Amino acid sequence: MRLFASLLCALLLSVAPAFSQTQLAATPPMGWNSWNHFAAHVTDADVRSAADALVSTGMRDAGYVYVNVDDTWQGKRDAQGVLHPNERFPDMKALGDYIHSKGLKFGIYSGPGEKTCGGYAGSLGHEEQDAKMYASWGVDFLKYDLCSFQDNMHKAQAEHPNDPNAANNLMIAAYRKMGDALKATGRPIVYSLCQYGVDQPWKWGPGLGANMWRTTDDIDDSYGRMIAIGFSQAGLSKYAGPGHWNDPDMLEIGNGKMTADEYKTHMSLWVILAAPLLAGNDLSTMTEADKSLLMNKDAIAIDQDSLGKQGDRLYESGDLDVWTKPLSGGRVAVGLFNRSWSVREVSVDLGQIGFPNGGSVRDVWEKKDLGHRSGVVVETLPKHGAALLIVGK
Ligand code: GAL
């Protein structure tokens, strides 16, 4: 009996991963991803220089540790079904080793369909084989992008016209399949679902081991698109928490098409949302302004707060918007936003956010303690501007 019990125990230990979904992403993952800047032209050299820059700029030490190669690294499958990288990526294991040698983590991209969005090989029918290969390369993060699998979903729906869930069930099964394959490798790999918020992934993502899921379609480097995504996240806070995060897409800070105030809005909103912070710019050409947004210690601490609570809207009034995020130690982060085209005053009543007797206020972007304040705090914001405050007892 005792022998049986210890055999069973050994068996369980050998199949159960030595890490939990929560430990894998106890706070929102932070790092860099190649897509927003390099898109389909990314090379091994670009990724290595991003890794170098994460170290030399201080971003790694600020928390940005994942170096994620997005779409277009893939070459062809051989007769055994093994997927090889294309000529722009001579040796993925060596790339992973290089990234790890810098104290960083290695991320990769695939999808459940036959093809990715860029028309490269997806993992359909090769899920376990691909997961094992990623693990052998030392991969720490997988972004799994729906793309051509939508064709399979349309087909399933056409074949089952009376089942309104046919397409979505197929999609969920495909995401579960890769989630299980990743777990079976025994390597801790952050699992990031990219399916543009189709069928409320925040409801089923955590159940299949996902650590984050895109909540919307793609961001681009424009104020209009960024705020459309950011402010549409209202109401989703209850679905995020340690190990499982809503992902409103990667950062555009530093890509050059928004103003400094617009990028400040971007960073302020994303940290209030406890969003994964994946820089999407060319790190080798970062300006001091980009660095001060991406590496502001208080802003990062809001995003990464140990309570693991996503923020949500407090109120909206025309073009003015105020959001709050509960922080550890009874503190609250407040994001104040002016979406209008002129200078406006935006205010928050400290009594309304849990400080009836007032509290200490820190201005994150000004890097200044404003002392004890009570009642209504008013910020004068430029057009498309934002302020970020931390209020404590
Ligand atoms: C999109 C995805 C982007 C990027 C791109 C690559 O579907 O949302 O973030 O990964 O595919 O082709």
Side-chain angles (χ1 to χ4, degrees):
M1 190 63 199
R2 195 183 274 173
L3 179 68
F4 176 73
S6 46
L7 277 176
L8 185 68
C9 194
L11 182 71
L12 284 176
L13 281 176
S14 69
V15 290
F19 52 87
S20 70
Q21 183 184 3
T22 306
Q23 284 164 341
L24 252 183
T27 58
M30 292 174 66
W32 172 86
N33 173 294
S34 59
W35 186 255
N36 284 356
H37 180 80
F38 293 95
H41 305 291
V42 65
T43 65
D44 175 279
D46 296 329
V47 178
R48 285 173 191 248
S49 78
D52 294 345
L54 283 172
V55 178
S56 64
T57 57
M59 283 191 57
R60 177 196 63 188
D61 295 341
Y64 294 85
V65 292
Y66 288 95
V67 180
N68 295 352
V69 182
D70 206 276
D71 201 359
T72 78
W73 62 267
Q74 312 88 326
K76 299 261 175 291
R77 290 195 187 273
D78 65 21
Q80 281 69 46
V82 177
L83 179 59
H84 296 271
N86 61 42
E87 60 291 346
R88 283 180 282 117
F89 288 90
D91 185 339
M92 294 304 259
K93 167 84 171 74
L95 179 58
D97 288 347
Y98 184 79
I99 289 169
H100 290 142
S101 77
K102 303 266 161 184
L104 296 162
K105 291 172 188 255
F106 180 27
I108 204 149
Y109 167 103
S110 188
E114 201 183 317
K115 296 265 182 248
T116 65
C117 292
Y120 289 69
S123 291
L124 184 65
H126 296 274
E127 293 82 0
E128 283 168 20
Q129 189 174 26
D130 287 359
K132 280 190 193 141
M133 183 177 69
Y134 303 148
S136 76
W137 290 346
V139 161
D140 305 295
F141 183 113
L142 173 69
K143 172 174 170 182
Y144 208 47
D145 193 356
L146 190 62
C147 267
S148 75
F149 197 76
Q150 289 168 110
D151 300 341
N152 305 48
M153 292 164 64
H154 293 144
K155 210 165 144 227
Q157 200 58 70
E159 281 165 5
H160 301 93
N162 298 325
D163 177 1
N165 298 320
N168 288 338
N169 287 344
L170 190 73
M171 171 180 67
I172 293 170
Y175 276 101
R176 186 183 301 282
K177 194 166 197 181
M178 183 51 97
D180 290 347
L182 292 177
K183 265 182 236 146
T185 68
R187 186 175 172 84
I189 299 177
V190 169
Y191 189 27
S192 163
L193 313 189
C194 177
Q195 45 75 275
Y196 338 117
V198 178
D199 198 31
Q200 305 182 309
W202 43 88
K203 291 198 174 154
W204 50 265
L208 49 88
N211 300 107
M212 52 193 263
W213 45 84
R214 280 270 297 277
T215 52
T216 72
D217 215 332
D218 290 18
I219 195 166
D220 62 37
D221 191 14
S222 70
Y223 180 69
R225 181 71 191 138
M226 182 274 292
I227 58 165
I229 288 179
F231 291 110
S232 74
Q233 305 300 294
L236 291 185
S237 58
K238 59 177 178 287
Y239 299 105
H244 55 281
W245 305 101
N246 289 310
D247 173 14
D249 207 356
M250 304 170 291
L251 297 168
E252 291 284 1
I253 294 163
N255 281 333
K257 297 209 177 99
M258 288 189 238
T259 66
D261 284 321
E262 291 169 347
Y263 283 139
K264 191 182 278 184
T265 293
H266 189 4
M267 188 71 178
S268 303
L269 194 46
W270 261 237
V271 301
I272 287 278
L273 293 171
L277 298 178
L278 294 170
N281 55 324
D282 180 357
L283 301 175
S284 63
T285 60
M286 276 207 292
T287 63
E288 287 309 311
D290 302 335
K291 287 185 199 164
S292 69
L293 286 179
L294 287 167
M295 288 196 275
N296 179 295
K297 280 201 166 62
D298 289 324
I300 291 174
I302 291 172
D303 184 78
Q304 297 287 302
D305 186 76
S306 58
L307 209 57
K309 292 238 186 255
Q310 178 174 333
D312 222 316
R313 176 176 273 140
L314 179 68
Y315 76 87
E316 182 185 23
S317 167
D319 284 331
L320 310 181
D321 224 314
V322 177
W323 290 55
T324 56
K325 178 185 195 287
L327 301 177
S328 52
R331 297 165 306 140
V332 176
V334 185
L336 303 106
F337 303 96
N338 172 14
R339 292 192 305 252
S340 82
W341 287 84
S342 53
V343 178
R344 300 284 290 277
E345 287 189 338
V346 190
S347 60
V348 58
D349 181 346
L350 299 186
Q352 210 193 331
I353 63 165
F355 298 90
N357 303 315
S360 66
V361 178
R362 179 162 176 83
D363 186 319
V364 169
W365 297 123
E366 295 300 318
K367 299 184 180 161
K368 251 190 353 219
D369 288 323
L370 305 182
H372 185 91
R373 305 281 286 270
S374 54
V376 176
V377 173
V378 182
E379 289 279 336
T380 303
L381 300 177
K383 74 167 189 189
H384 297 180
L388 196 52
L389 308 176
I390 296 174
V391 186
K393 292 278 176 235

